[in-house]
Amino acid sequence: MDEDEDYQALFFAECVELLSELQEQLDRLVDDEDDPEIVNAAFRAVHSVKGGAAAFGFDDLIGFAHIFETVMDKIRNDVLQATPEVTSLLVRSGDVLMELVEHARDGGEPDRETLERVTGELHTLAGSEPPEQEAAEEAAAPEPEPTVADGPAASRAITVLFEPHPGFLRAGHEPLKLIRAAREMGLTGVEAIGEVPSLDEIDLSNSPLSFKLTFDSALPESEFEFFFQIYEAFADVKIEAEPLVVSETPAEAPADTPAPAEVQEPEPEKPATAEKPAADAPAAKPASGGGEAANAKPKISKTLRVELPRIDRLVNLVGEVVITQAVLAQRLSDVDTGGDLELDHAVESMSRQTRELQESVMAIRAQPVKSVFSRMPRVVRDLADKLGKEARIIVSGEHTEVDTTVIEELAEPLTHMLRNSMDHGLEETPEDRIAAGKERCGTIRLTAEHRGERVLISVDDDGRGINRDRVLKKAVERGLVDGEENLSPEDIDNLIFHPGFSTAESVSSVSGRGVGMDVVKKKIQMLGGRCSVQNKPGEGAKFLITLPLTLAVLDGMIVCVGDERFILPLSSVVEAIKIDPDTVAVLPNGSRLLRLRDEYLPLVSLRTTLNLTGEDQSEDMAIVVDTESRGAIAILVDELIGQRQVVLKSLEANFRRVDGVSGATILGDGRVALIIDVSGLLELATPSRGTGLLEAM
């Protein structure tokens, strides 16, 4: 990767943050929050995207961002009012800007129809003409074009004096990026004007130097004016160009040359002088806004961008240190130290510091789900346009933090869940909702919250819910279930996760192929999580995703069954109790219940459920755990060893997925211990699912 590619990668990384900030501010604007800083912050985000795009010549992105910020500038100067219609256009413009950034990064062409429509609406608000109309008028007005075509235009010298205003650097501009971008315009020389102050006196928000740029180009002067237009609020730009002549034009050249010179030179200068006060007038306001931005700047300057693979290597190394520390502690516990208190204290101190080191490293990987959640309103808006439905999305808990590896994989399942809610959940028309006694506009709620050592994400809609009769009919038609089979309502609901299953009557661009919810379940299981649905026919459906906070470490309770060691997630453990045989009841189907403080809990034996071999022992110890979705259960074990923080190793990545197990770890004595998936264990314990773990392996 060369230096330009490094800068470009940095630009797109910054765009992610800027677009997220823009989306947040526009959402606040839609909610009618009365704070002038909202518009200022949104303006700065769009302007920063435009400034970076100019350095790499992304013309579509530059042009759209320019008219976008022009409208934002009129709003913050009270020329335009932020009416619902205007804010709706700004939100759609934010979506288009995001799409243009994605296409600039990944290649390909944006949706031209949408781009031109939204651009035209912005020009209407700004009171200007789209570039196509301006170009058409310029092409129709003069008639020296045929003579220019008779011979190629000769290059001539163009000099640009660039004098940055105070706050130029603080606004996010960089002279180096300007110079790099100017190379495409025929830049031949750069002269720095001024003196660089000493380190004690330098102001990092201002550029102490002005620049004289020399070009050798045949481009019209209007091209240079357009190029430097993005800096008009933060710098004075003076362009001096020699007359544009046409080479190889005998006899007619002297007569034709002055005409283009008179037409081309005065006209660009008039808009420059006419628009200059308008450019300078709002400059005072950006300066004040820039002052507020400057207060927040130190926070940004203290951040450090690090490639994720480097952090992954650090996490793996810390994991190995934790394992080594556990081995050392285990070995020392087996050796008679003769009551050496200093050695015991040293081991205990090392254990505590290793844990703090691991927690600190894991905190580096923790990121808020906001980066994924911020994309979802755009998904809902696009689907509402395609399906002709009225819908809104309410997002909460976007600052909930989770492992960055989990965040990277969340976008796809969340998108499929929203598509399912929009297409199958919400009623077909607003009139159908009104007839059902609901609001005209459907509501989808996307929430995230911490639940112990896991993160709970839900997608909840107030639509029709899952039509169980229709689902069961489709399942019977496809041969997924027997028509005589007696399925519970929950079992019918879960049929939607079956591969290839869909209740859509026809295939469309949104649904009908039966890959949506199947993808959701597989992706969530791959992340060590679970997906479930809570259905209320006529009222709506709620999809729940539970995910681990991190895929690297786990606080667990070590239990023993025979010669095997297992880990129960500590976040799920409620209590440990001794079993009194009189408190155990056996049901006709062979399952057992434990009476605990006037409540009956399902009693699950690890030895029986996992078909473990070896000498049977009296199972008189039970660990009460919370399954999150199905309440508490009691797990029978032989012995409770203790609490330990362990390093997670993926069983699926190194072997294959095994029901009832979420991963594995290495204990201090070198043994491999399996980590129990409590909810999966409960499903495995049902008679119809009873397959031993050792048989599965």
Side-chain angles (χ1 to χ4, degrees), residues 142-175:
E143 274 195 355
E145 289 294 328
T147 58
V148 174
D150 292 339
S155 61
R156 83 285 196 204
I158 296 179
T159 302
V160 177
L161 182 60
F162 190 85
E163 299 176 339
H165 292 167
F168 177 78
L169 299 179
R170 183 177 59 213
H173 296 301
E174 293 183 22

Side-chain angles (χ1 to χ4, degrees), residues 304-311:
L304 176 65
R305 296 184 184 275
V306 181
E307 294 179 352
L308 188 59
R310 294 189 179 187
I311 298 179

Side-chain angles (χ1 to χ4, degrees), residues 585-593 687:
V586 181
L587 300 180
N589 63 359
S591 58
R592 293 181 289 176
L593 297 176

